[in-house]
């Protein structure tokens, strides 16, 4: 598993800033979307317009807590299987986080570069589309996503906590959380799932059959691992394997990032009213759409 000193340094810095940040001051709005002041700045967003994507960039787009670190790990293992070189992250991998100079540094990095992002579709830098980088879009059912997001805030000691699950749920439903509304993110992506160079992967499908998911991801990005290599990567990418290494790979935040890794954990927190509210919201935003069907809401989110 790749050790990840850039990731750890960046997260340590963000946690240090978080210690001094009250929940009421955590978010700032840039072009209509709330972001955490501990990780994003307007200057970096402005500099992002100058970012030049490459056709062989590997873009991983997801709403927070949908499993981006899992996929990132799988991709770095695929690169290792392909090139026999351990993939080291030369920068914190989330495209929109960091200092405004990062895009200049990134222009010097060798290919393939992995760019993870939580930006909504219409906020992605235009060069990603112009230069035809491939984008893997990761989705997870909204109930487990919300619960994972809540725990991340309330379990990591230095990140501002919400007063209660009910309070977090209210803010989540209003889209007043870091990176904005899950539903807006999904509505936007729903219009682009059939675009050239875009592929959807579902957290729950990956849980169901990890090896099959890894094979699909590999094919999409043009890697051709052997059956044996897929088995090895699968064994290294289970929740248990990743959690066991998480302190080493992701620093202090590791065990919180790899918290439970289950489908259906939402049942422990959602009240009946909250279930109904989210079911209504899902219906209003996504029922009958291509993405709505692919999310298998009835299977994963029915009480
Ligand atoms: P939980 O909080 O429900 O455990 P992200 O990386 O986008 O922040 O997503 C984090 C979520 O993905 C966490 O969910 C985490 O446990 C889960 N996750 C990470 N690696 C995983 C794996 N190998 N298998 C299953 N879930 C995983």
């Amino acid at each position: 598993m790749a050790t990840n000193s850039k990731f750890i340094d960046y997260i340590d810095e963000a946690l240090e800033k978080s210690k001094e940040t009250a929940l009421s001051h955590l978010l700032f709005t840039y072009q209509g979307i709330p972001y955490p002041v501990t990780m994003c700045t307007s200057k970096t967003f402005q500099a992002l317009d100058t970012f030049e994507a490459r056709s062989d960039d590997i873009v991983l787009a997801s709403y927070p807590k949908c499993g981006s670190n899992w996929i990132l790990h799988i991709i770095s293992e695929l690169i290792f299987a392909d090139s026999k070189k351990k993939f080291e992250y030369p920068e914190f991998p989330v495209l929109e986080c960091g200092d405004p100079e990062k895009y200049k540094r990134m222009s010097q990095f060798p290919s393939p570069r992995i760019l993870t992002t939580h930006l909504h579709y219409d906020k992605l830098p235009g060069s990603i589309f112009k230069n035809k980088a491939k984008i893997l879009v990761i989705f997870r059912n909204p109930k487990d996503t919300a619960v994972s997001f809540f725990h991340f805030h309330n379990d990591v000691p230095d990140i501002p906590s919400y007063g209660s699950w009910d309070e977090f749920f209210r803010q989540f439903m209003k889209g007043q959380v870091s990176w904005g509304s899950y539903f807006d993110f999904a509505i936007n992506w729903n219009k682009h799932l059939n675009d050239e160079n875009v592929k959807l992967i579902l957290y729950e499908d990956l849980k169901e059959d990890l090896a099959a998911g890894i094979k699909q991801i590999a094919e999409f990005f043009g890697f051709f691992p052997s059956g044996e290599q897929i088995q090895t990567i699968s064994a290294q990418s289970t929740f248990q394997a990743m959690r066991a290494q998480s302190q080493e790979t992701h620093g202090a935040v590791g065990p919180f990032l790899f918290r439970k890794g289950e489908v259906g954990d939402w049942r422990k927190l959602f009240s009946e009213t909250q279930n109904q509210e989210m079911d209504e919201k899902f219906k209003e935003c996504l029922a009958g759409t291509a993405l709505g069907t692919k999310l298998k809401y009835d299977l994963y989110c029915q009480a």
Side-chain angles (χ1 to χ4, degrees), residues 62-70 118 140 144 147-149 151 203 207 237-240 242 256-262 265:
S62 62
Y63 186 78
K65 314 316 293 172
C66 288
S68 60
N69 286 287
W70 189 11
H118 300 316
R140 183 181 193 185
D144 281 332
V147 166
S148 177
F149 213 162
H151 278 295
Y203 176 99
K207 276 291 287 185
S237 307
T238 61
F239 176 76
Q240 289 75 11
M242 291 195 68
F256 302 105
L257 204 51
F258 299 90
R259 184 187 64 94
K260 215 163 188 186
E262 283 177 6
D265 194 39

Side-chain angles (χ1 to χ4, degrees), residues 17-31:
K17 277 188 226 159
S18 299
K19 268 188 205 168
E20 292 142 24
T21 311
L23 183 64
S24 54
H25 290 105
L26 179 66
L27 301 177
F28 77 106
T29 301
Y30 187 80
Q31 295 183 348

Side-chain angles (χ1 to χ4, degrees), residues 26 41 92 110 133 135 162 167 172 177 182 196 212 217 236 299:
L26 179 66
T41 68
F92 182 66
I135 311 173
Y162 286 80
E167 185 189 331
F172 183 87
V177 291
Y182 172 99
E196 197 190 355
I217 296 170
Q236 289 164 340
L299 179 61

Side-chain angles (χ1 to χ4, degrees), residues 133-146:
K134 287 190 179 169
I135 311 173
L136 184 68
V137 191
I138 307 145
F139 265 97
R140 183 181 193 185
N141 79 69
K143 291 185 180 174
D144 281 332
T145 302

Side-chain angles (χ1 to χ4, degrees), residues 59 61 95 117 119-129 135 189:
V59 184
L95 183 63
T117 179
L119 292 174
H120 292 219
Y121 177 89
D122 57 334
K123 309 290 186 222
L124 288 170
S127 64
I128 288 183
F129 306 110
I135 311 173
W189 266 112

